[in-house]
Amino acid sequence: MAKWTLHEWASLAEIISAAAVVLPHLYVGAELNGNTKAVEAATLLEVNRIARDHLLLSWTDPDATRIEMTGDKDPDLLDPLDQQRYFWSVRSFWLGMQTVFRQHELGVLPDEEWHVYYEVICSNIAAPGKRALWTGKFFIPDFVKVVERCPTFRK
């Protein structure tokens, strides 16, 4: 077996050093990928919770259902107390959709999920009652643009 020269040992040390630098970066990359998937999964759970809570309230409480259906047609047909309940229900809905929008903007909600919620947003702004209450105030400007660019949006 031949003896290695100092130059050959130095070359081997460089290869080992390079591997020592690269391997941790590969590990960190794999960890980031795993964390990204965990954040996306948590986001989907939150988005589904927002939709589920609204649906459960609307369809398990006959009074809430009546208020929502009447308010969507014309909020003026509701008595003052029910008008307030409708207003806060609609405000809660829009805040939930704004949260969905922000999660998409942050890159943790996949495009295909966002497109479903975009359709929900556009179908809801078409309801005369929801449209009558929409002012865009108290919402982030980019979300206001999304809502007001819906094909169903009418001034």
Side-chain angles (χ1 to χ4, degrees):
M1 180 171 195
K3 289 190 174 186
W4 283 27
T5 66
L6 185 57
H7 178 69
E8 290 170 327
W9 280 110
S11 295
L12 178 62
E14 278 187 52
I15 292 170
I16 292 170
S17 296
V21 169
V22 170
L23 289 176
H25 285 85
L26 292 174
Y27 175 76
V28 168
E31 284 294 308
L32 284 174
N33 188 39
N35 288 344
T36 299
K37 291 192 183 305
V39 168
E40 286 177 356
T43 298
L44 290 175
L45 254 140
E46 174 63 13
V47 165
N48 286 329
R49 187 199 57 77
I50 290 168
R52 184 196 68 227
D53 288 354
H54 189 78
L55 290 172
L56 283 175
L57 175 64
S58 295
W59 300 111
T60 58
D61 179 351
D63 202 38
T65 302
R66 177 190 57 76
I67 291 168
E68 181 100 15
M69 292 175 69
T70 304
D72 276 353
K73 289 178 189 166
D74 183 356
D76 291 335
L77 298 174
L78 298 168
D79 65 46
L81 177 62
D82 287 347
Q83 285 179 353
Q84 279 299 304
R85 290 176 69 192
Y86 180 69
F87 172 84
W88 289 113
S89 172
V90 170
R91 175 61 61 92
S92 173
F93 170 78
W94 289 124
L95 287 171
M97 292 300 101
Q98 178 176 260
T99 299
V100 172
F101 167 73
R102 288 291 294 138
Q103 290 171 330
H104 179 259
E105 263 196 338
L106 293 170
V108 294
L109 183 70
D111 287 343
E112 64 259 11
E113 294 285 335
W114 164 244
H115 291 303
V116 171
Y117 284 95
Y118 177 74
E119 292 299 322
V120 169
I121 289 167
C122 291
S123 68
N124 273 272
I125 198 62
K130 285 186 177 82
R131 178 60 195 96
L133 293 177
W134 177 262
T135 64
K137 289 183 182 176
F138 310 113
F139 296 101
I140 58 174
D142 286 346
F143 178 68
V144 172
K145 289 176 191 170
V146 166
V147 174
E148 293 181 359
R149 286 183 184 147
C150 283
T152 55
F153 186 83
R154 303 276 187 266
K155 288 229 175 209

